[in-house]
Amino acid sequence: MKGAGSAIVEVKIPFNLAGGIREYHPAVWPGLALQWKDKHLLLELPAAADGLSSAFYGGGMNRLQRAVNLYVDRNYECSDPVQDMENKLRDWGYPLSGCAGLMTAVPLEHAAVAEEDTGSAGIFVCVTAAAGNAARSGVERNVLAVYRPGTINIMLCIDGRLTPAAMVNAVQTAVEAKAAALADLGITDPENGLIATGTTTDAIVLAVSQSGRYSAEHVYAGTATDLGGAIGRLIYSAVTGSLLSVQARRDS
């Protein structure tokens, strides 16, 4: 993996079990908390938010109170991930409703976070990323008949007001930034040698507070907007940060 250029924004690898650091509280969304718990990251929102996600559990458009990124072994038997996640949520005592569930084979200490206040929204992202099953969209390739745990999982949280169309636009911008990060790191699809645009099982969760803390309502979130520009910078940097953290551990 080739190194990327200098970071566009500050990226943190926040968790350190040896140092007892298991929580991160972003400044841009008061009350939001990210915690490293038993084999999962828990993103807890201070109040129910509008959600849009590709999560296998609780995905789609709904109201979200939390998101869970569950660590599973690469040999995880994945015949019923929805039931497996539901069982875990019950074990942990989390309500089943209002939760988006993701799975990752990336060790959770490689989670990367970044945040920015644009003046019209507060944006926080958390990414767990590895490129072992990198893939390029738009070409023929082998397909998976069953679910596999995602290798680039993105949690994108926006304290601000967005229309439904702007929420979709925010996801589009985030995915474009992810693909740009992979391209700049020189990550390729092993089946064809072409630059990868993601991995075969990526997932994203978007949560939007719709609070009145900022007066603006965003109707666009593309790269020409302040909101979209910030989303792109944060996602690009966090994806890069998590991937380089994984690489550094592998090379050490």
Side-chain angles (χ1 to χ4, degrees):
M1 183 187 299
K2 296 184 293 185
S6 58
I8 299 174
V9 298
E10 181 183 9
V11 175
K12 298 177 181 178
I13 308 294
F15 300 117
N16 184 335
L17 289 189
I21 302 174
R22 293 175 173 263
E23 296 189 13
Y24 184 82
H25 299 271
V28 296
W29 188 338
L32 188 70
L34 179 68
Q35 302 175 70
W36 184 0
K37 291 180 171 286
D38 178 27
K39 294 186 178 179
H40 68 286
L41 295 179
L42 172 65
L43 179 72
E44 191 78 31
L45 303 171
D50 284 352
L52 173 64
S53 82
S54 62
F56 74 89
Y57 183 93
M61 300 188 69
N62 50 29
R63 296 285 285 173
L64 289 179
Q65 185 69 58
R66 64 192 52 81
V68 169
N69 192 7
L70 171 65
Y71 174 77
V72 295
D73 185 86
R74 292 186 181 277
N75 298 318
Y76 163 68
E77 198 287 309
C78 54
S79 59
D80 196 346
V82 173
Q83 186 61 59
D84 291 344
M85 177 63 75
E86 186 169 310
N87 292 341
K88 288 292 187 181
L89 296 176
R90 292 183 190 277
D91 289 344
W92 296 324
Y94 302 154
L96 300 183
S97 62
C99 181
L102 310 172
M103 287 184 177
T104 180
V106 179
L108 300 178
E109 62 266 30
H110 300 297
V113 301
E115 57 186 287
E116 183 175 332
D117 189 328
T118 68
S120 62
I123 310 168
F124 169 72
V125 305
C126 174
V127 174
T128 53
N133 60 334
R136 182 180 180 91
S137 180
V139 296
E140 290 189 8
R141 59 170 296 109
N142 292 326
V143 298
L144 298 176
V146 292
Y147 179 82
R148 289 287 186 269
T151 50
I152 300 180
N153 283 345
I154 295 171
M155 294 188 286
L156 169 60
C157 305
I158 302 175
D159 184 19
R161 297 168 57 212
L162 275 70
T163 64
M167 290 176 63
V168 175
N169 206 177
V171 170
Q172 176 184 345
T173 298
V175 173
E176 290 174 357
K178 175 193 68 176
L182 294 177
D184 286 352
L185 288 168
I187 295 173
T188 59
D189 183 332
E191 287 196 9
N192 49 50
L194 299 173
I195 288 292
T197 55
T199 81
T200 55
T201 48
D202 293 346
I204 186 169
V205 173
L206 168 65
V208 179
S209 70
Q210 305 294 13
S211 76
R213 192 160 76 94
Y214 297 94
S215 59
E217 180 182 50
H218 297 273
V219 296
Y220 304 108
T223 51
T225 66
D226 288 344
L227 178 65
I231 290 170
R233 290 190 297 273
L234 293 171
I235 296 295
Y236 178 98
S237 299
V239 169
T240 300
S242 184
L243 286 168
L244 293 180
S245 176
V246 171
Q247 180 192 32
R249 173 66 61 85
R250 187 176 63 240
D251 293 345
S252 63

